[in-house]
Amino acid sequence: MGAFYSSVTVFGTDWETIAQVCDRPAFIVTDTDTTVVFSEADDEGGGDLPEGALSAALGAVTLSVMVHDSDLLALFVHRDGELIVQGCVPDPDEYFGTESGEGSGALSGAVLVSALGRGDAAALDTALANDVTFAEERHAAMLRALGLPTWSVGFGYRYIDANPDAFAGPTPVRLD
């Protein structure tokens, strides 16, 4: 069984403001200009993903990431609560051999760089297109291409809660 996790990176506000409005329980981790929220509700399929409630409450841009069974990487970018980019790599219809007709949403480096105002579009295209064994590899490559730290890769609320010492990033702040 692979990894299942989610996180929301918030741009343009401080962790104390985020803590006032995010779902609880959660962990918040801040490093320089990057704040990531690991919410129990997001790990369970609720919370900010993919509705953008945290983005709306903060009037901020958020990058929400979900990894499903180490196979699929889903991304949602919200600005002021409005979904502006979404996609999943690989396309779930192709991966599972289904025909939902919904598709995964077009993801390209240029679209993500434009939505987030940061990153290297060519490196993002490579990260999104490369054949990888685990979605976590794609997640790490995507974060590097965006100029973001990779300490959130492989972690969601339940993984930090179960083994906080395994988390290699800055010390998480627990919100109950």
Side-chain angles (χ1 to χ4, degrees):
M1 182 162 126
F4 292 84
Y5 66 88
S6 63
S7 64
V8 179
T9 302
V10 182
F11 301 94
T13 192
D14 61 86
W15 78 267
E16 291 94 348
T17 303
I18 296 166
Q20 293 175 13
V21 299
C22 73
D23 287 330
R24 293 170 188 244
F27 291 99
I28 293 181
V29 181
T30 299
D31 182 15
T32 318
D33 71 339
T34 304
T35 301
V36 181
V37 178
F38 302 93
S39 165
E40 182 180 50
D42 289 338
D43 268 5
E44 294 175 354
D48 194 56
L49 304 169
E51 291 78 22
L54 192 55
S55 171
L58 295 166
V61 174
T62 60
L63 168 63
S64 302
V65 175
M66 290 189 300
V67 168
H68 176 84
D69 201 17
S70 293
D71 295 322
L72 303 171
L73 174 70
L75 308 171
F76 306 89
V77 178
H78 291 88
R79 181 177 294 125
D80 300 322
E82 178 185 345
L83 180 64
I84 56 175
V85 177
Q86 71 175 1
C88 187
V89 181
D91 183 297
D93 283 343
E94 291 177 19
Y95 186 80
F96 292 113
T98 59
E99 295 183 28
S100 72
E102 295 178 22
S104 65
L107 281 178
S108 75
V111 168
L112 284 167
V113 166
S114 175
L116 296 171
R118 66 184 306 146
D120 177 333
L124 275 165
D125 284 336
T126 300
L128 295 169
N130 278 352
D131 187 26
V132 296
T133 303
F134 300 108
E136 294 92 314
E137 296 169 74
R138 188 178 319 279
H139 184 195
M142 182 197 73
L143 291 176
R144 283 190 296 274
L146 288 169
L148 296 170
T150 58
W151 41 255
S152 64
V153 174
F155 287 92
Y157 174 86
R158 73 174 155 267
Y159 297 133
I160 296 172
D161 189 48
N163 190 2
D165 294 334
F167 186 74
T171 303
V173 173
R174 182 194 258 311
L175 302 175
D176 289 316

